[in-house]
Amino acid sequence: MNNTFNDTMLRAIKGEQATHTPVWFMRQAGRSQPEYRKLKEKYSLFDITHQPEICAYVTKLPVDQYNTDAAVLYKDIMTPLKAIGVDVEIKSGIGPVISNPIRQYSDVTALGQIDPKRDVPYVLDTIKLLTQEQLNVPLIGFTGAPFTLASYMIEGGPSKNYNKTKAMMYSDEATWFKLMDTLADMSITYVKGQVEAGAQIIQIFDSWVGALNESDYKYYIQPCMNKLVAGIKALNTPVILFGVGASHLIDAWHDLPIDVLGLDWRTSISEAGQQGVTKTVQGNLDPSILLAPWDVIEARLKPILDQGLAHAGGHIFNLGHGVFPEVSPDTLRRVAQFVHDYTAKK
């Protein structure tokens, strides 16, 4: 491992002075990288995550190629669900498909508990390999948030409207809150395993919670999120929270004991600041812009970086969602370089 550890992102999270604005990309590992696509000809996502050497290679590759200030563990938010009894399969072109969806209270009480060392040792081994031998930047571990995980578990797969999920939420509160509590406990235990193995930052993906309005979020979701975030913070580990299309939940998110508030591209950093956000923010270039000519990309990067530098808290540059498979690795490398150069402290 390189002896010079790049702590820029950890400093930004704490609001400390850093040499430049740190950058990493959601879904930076895989998808758009030719080396990864070559691996996928031979191995499934499941195969890759179960082989620590290959998984570590995929995780570290974008750090080497793009010079990002953090690595994000290559895995799926569905990873811990099999261990508690969810029959989930990642189907190409569809996403997670669950053959035993949650329908009633007894389905929730039938779920087991995760023991990371027993159930996902390959995840822990990958983390150890990366943090003890390979990386000179922080490793971001992650978990899905209870609502987002529950949406798959209730719908049986991806959804556009979350009708079944909301129907349970509104009509069967006992089952709903039991499921939220069960998933929060699972995530805390799962994250604890990641942190003990060496992950230095945790991102909570609440990708689909923007489907709820603020009052429903506060009643049905915020209690379990307070529990989840507090459980991770007890590990002395910083927490990033991210969701898509959730600008209307910024106030509720800011009330959570998170360290970093992830913004998608719909709300600017200055608008978040005007709403009273003083925490470190992460974001938030629309990933579609990465398919535009460089002069367009650069013109969109500058205001985000300017607003980040002016923000009361720190700023971590990222996209407003994940990297598309069509994005050129050269573009990501160039973006990371531009962020570093443009924000370098003179």
Side-chain angles (χ1 to χ4, degrees):
M1 186 165 91
N2 186 328
N3 291 327
T4 312
F5 186 76
N6 173 358
D7 67 348
T8 314
M9 181 151 163
L10 293 170
R11 294 175 71 85
I13 289 172
K14 293 175 188 168
E16 295 175 0
Q17 187 80 2
T19 53
H20 59 265
T21 298
V23 53
W24 70 281
F25 304 104
M26 284 181 280
R27 294 206 171 178
Q28 65 186 20
R31 298 183 98 209
S32 69
Q33 295 180 296
E35 297 90 342
Y36 171 76
R37 285 205 288 268
K38 194 163 181 59
L39 272 176
K40 284 283 287 200
E41 291 172 12
K42 189 174 175 184
Y43 303 106
S44 69
L45 183 150
F46 185 83
D47 293 333
I48 292 171
T49 57
H50 279 66
Q51 297 185 59
E53 291 80 10
I54 300 175
C55 193
Y57 167 75
V58 172
T59 300
K60 185 172 181 279
L61 194 61
V63 180
D64 295 337
Q65 289 189 344
Y66 312 144
N67 195 26
T68 54
D69 296 287
V72 59
L73 188 61
Y74 176 82
K75 63 186 174 70
D76 193 89
I77 63 169
M78 298 288 119
T79 299
L81 293 185
K82 271 187 186 279
I84 64 168
V86 179
D87 189 3
V88 58
E89 187 183 343
I90 310 291
K91 294 201 172 171
S92 182
I94 301 171
V97 176
I98 290 167
S99 59
N100 59 337
I102 300 291
R103 290 287 174 262
Q104 56 201 6
Y105 194 87
S106 60
D107 295 335
V108 182
T109 56
L111 295 171
Q113 293 183 328
I114 190 169
D115 176 343
K117 288 178 181 168
R118 177 194 69 202
D119 299 321
V120 288
Y122 48 90
V123 171
L124 309 185
D125 289 344
T126 303
I127 293 171
K128 288 172 188 169
L129 195 57
L130 285 160
T131 57
Q132 293 173 15
E133 298 179 27
Q134 299 185 1
L135 290 176
N136 70 327
V137 294
L139 178 67
I140 302 167
F142 63 86
T143 186
F147 177 86
T148 291
L149 294 175
S151 74
Y152 288 105
M153 293 166 71
I154 297 167
E155 302 286 339
S159 173
K160 288 194 170 130
N161 48 39
Y162 308 99
N163 288 340
K164 291 176 186 169
T165 307
K166 290 182 179 182
M168 178 180 288
M169 194 174 78
Y170 295 134
S171 62
D172 188 353
E173 287 192 9
T175 301
W176 178 261
F177 285 114
K178 179 67 174 172
L179 181 57
M180 290 294 98
D181 211 42
T182 299
L183 291 173
D185 287 340
M186 179 203 75
S187 288
I188 291 168
T189 305
Y190 179 45
V191 164
K192 188 172 186 229
Q194 293 180 56
V195 171
E196 287 175 349
Q200 288 132 303
I201 302 163
I202 295 294
Q203 176 152 309
I204 300 171
F205 282 92
D206 211 349
S207 307
W208 313 132
V209 79
L212 302 183
N213 65 37
E214 188 179 15
S215 62
D216 282 348
Y217 181 88
K218 286 183 171 176
Y219 180 72
Y220 293 105
I221 311 298
Q222 197 137 350
C224 75
M225 289 300 292
N226 273 315
K227 179 181 185 178
L228 172 56
V229 177
I232 301 171
K233 292 288 290 175
L235 305 169
N236 199 27
T237 304
V239 178
I240 306 168
L241 177 59
F242 174 76
V244 188
S247 301
H248 57 292
L249 301 178
I250 283 175
D251 288 346
W253 280 7
H254 200 256
D255 288 342
L256 292 168
I258 59 172
D259 299 274
V260 182
L261 198 158
L263 298 169
D264 74 4
W265 64 92
R266 297 168 178 87
T267 302
S268 69
I269 294 169
S270 60
E271 286 168 340
Q274 286 157 17
Q275 279 185 244
V277 173
T278 54
K279 295 181 191 287
T280 299
V281 292
Q282 178 177 279
N284 65 342
L285 184 75
D286 183 338
S288 302
I289 289 167
L290 295 175
L291 302 174
W294 177 254
D295 59 333
V296 175
I297 297 172
E298 186 178 308
R300 297 299 187 98
L301 285 171
K302 287 178 179 176
I304 293 171
L305 298 172
D306 288 340
Q307 289 171 38
L309 290 168
H311 178 63
H315 176 223
I316 298 158
F317 179 82
N318 207 313
L319 306 177
H321 202 190
V323 173
F324 298 141
E326 298 83 1
V327 173
S328 163
D330 286 341
T331 301
L332 292 171
R333 179 188 51 75
R334 198 169 176 186
V335 167
Q337 187 65 52
F338 183 84
V339 172
H340 287 164
D341 292 346
Y342 188 81
T343 62
K345 304 297 185 288
K346 304 295 191 285

